[in-house]
Amino acid sequence: MSYYEEEETPRLSLIARIGFAGAFCAFVLAGGVYYLHHKRLTQTVANANDGVSPETLADPTVAAFIAGSGKGDGKANAPTDVTGSLPDSSAVKDQLGPVSGLPMPRFVSLKPDKVNVRQGPSRDQTVSFIYQKANLPVEVIAEFENWRRIRDADGSEGWVLQNLLSGKRTALIAPWSKQPTLPLLASADRKANAVAMLQPGVQANIKSCTSNWCRINGDGFDGWIQESNLWGAYPGEAVD
């Protein structure tokens, strides 16, 4: 009779097994730390690209406008109404500016012939575009400290310093009109004689407005036009 012994399968010692388990846990932990660090770094870079400081975002009004300002598109998003449409006159009495206490929205004009328009109410914010025409009519639609968010006749929006705006009232002749010209009348009467024919988009100074008519003047013209044919005065608004 022959005898043999079955070869015993090699087994790891207790110390070896503990060492292997420790190495495995260290590998998993290192991978988790790398993932979290990478994710945090990505989020930090993404947030930095917004260009909006925490102090600015702390104000709910500013945060709401910046959130819809259209980052990186050169100009802020246009309002929801059709570009060039008449503003809602009822909105004038519905809200007062939190800084000025004046009606908002309201029409003002640009004081200098060069105005930087920024994405947010800070000099650190990116300049979205630049106006290069003095006395252009714009609407003030938000206020923050010494900054005003404005909107022009094309629907473009952005923030400018308050001292770059003037209370002088100006207007554009019906920039939305498809007619080649609109009549400027000798008096506030549809039957009055035309003293000039003005093209849509012509800029004028508002001398006064009453009973839905405005007296305007400009380079080589002076007369009356219906308030509804101006971008720069609300229908029914009285201007002294």
Side-chain angles (χ1 to χ4, degrees):
M1 177 181 295
S2 62
Y3 296 90
Y4 70 93
E5 293 181 355
E6 183 175 350
E7 184 178 357
E8 185 176 358
T9 303
R11 298 181 180 179
L12 294 173
S13 66
L14 178 61
I15 295 178
R17 281 183 285 176
I18 293 175
F20 178 80
F24 178 78
C25 292
F27 176 80
V28 172
L29 180 61
V33 171
Y34 172 80
Y35 171 78
L36 292 176
H37 175 72
H38 178 71
K39 183 177 181 180
R40 181 182 178 186
L41 179 61
T42 303
Q43 291 176 338
T44 301
V45 172
N47 292 336
N49 287 338
D50 287 346
V52 182
S53 66
E55 293 78 12
T56 299
L57 288 176
D59 183 270
T61 301
V62 175
F65 277 105
I66 293 179
S69 65
K71 305 179 185 71
D73 58 1
K75 290 190 178 182
N77 290 341
T80 54
D81 60 337
V82 179
T83 298
S85 65
L86 291 174
D88 181 5
S89 59
S90 64
V92 177
K93 298 180 181 179
D94 289 345
Q95 184 179 358
L96 296 179
V99 180
S100 67
L102 298 174
M104 194 172 65
R106 64 181 179 276
F107 279 110
V108 295
S109 60
L110 302 181
K111 189 180 297 183
D113 57 7
K114 182 179 180 181
V115 176
N116 291 335
V117 183
R118 300 181 183 274
Q119 290 185 355
S122 168
R123 290 183 183 272
D124 296 330
Q125 293 291 314
T126 302
V127 174
S128 300
F129 55 98
I130 301 174
Y131 289 116
Q132 294 182 323
K133 189 172 185 179
N135 300 320
L136 188 71
V138 293
E139 268 187 301
V140 173
I141 58 175
E143 300 179 346
F144 179 72
E145 295 181 352
N146 61 334
W147 292 85
R148 302 292 181 266
R149 186 171 177 88
I150 61 172
R151 175 169 59 205
D152 63 24
D154 293 328
S156 300
E157 300 179 8
W159 293 87
V160 302
L161 285 167
Q162 184 273 333
N163 60 9
L164 299 178
L165 301 176
S166 169
K168 178 181 179 180
R169 296 297 296 272
T170 63
L172 298 179
I173 307 299
W176 56 84
S177 178
K178 302 300 182 182
Q179 301 181 39
T181 58
L182 289 88
L184 185 67
L185 306 179
S187 63
D189 187 340
R190 292 187 178 184
K191 297 181 181 180
N193 294 329
V195 295
M197 299 298 292
L198 304 179
Q199 295 180 337
V202 168
Q203 184 172 310
N205 302 313
I206 298 179
K207 300 180 69 175
S208 64
C209 292
T210 182
S211 302
N212 294 309
W213 286 87
C214 291
R215 176 81 178 273
I216 63 172
N217 66 4
D219 187 12
F221 61 87
D222 189 332
W224 292 84
I225 192 169
Q226 286 186 298
E227 206 164 28
S228 58
N229 284 328
L230 295 178
W231 197 91
Y234 299 104
E237 180 187 8
V239 178
D240 298 327

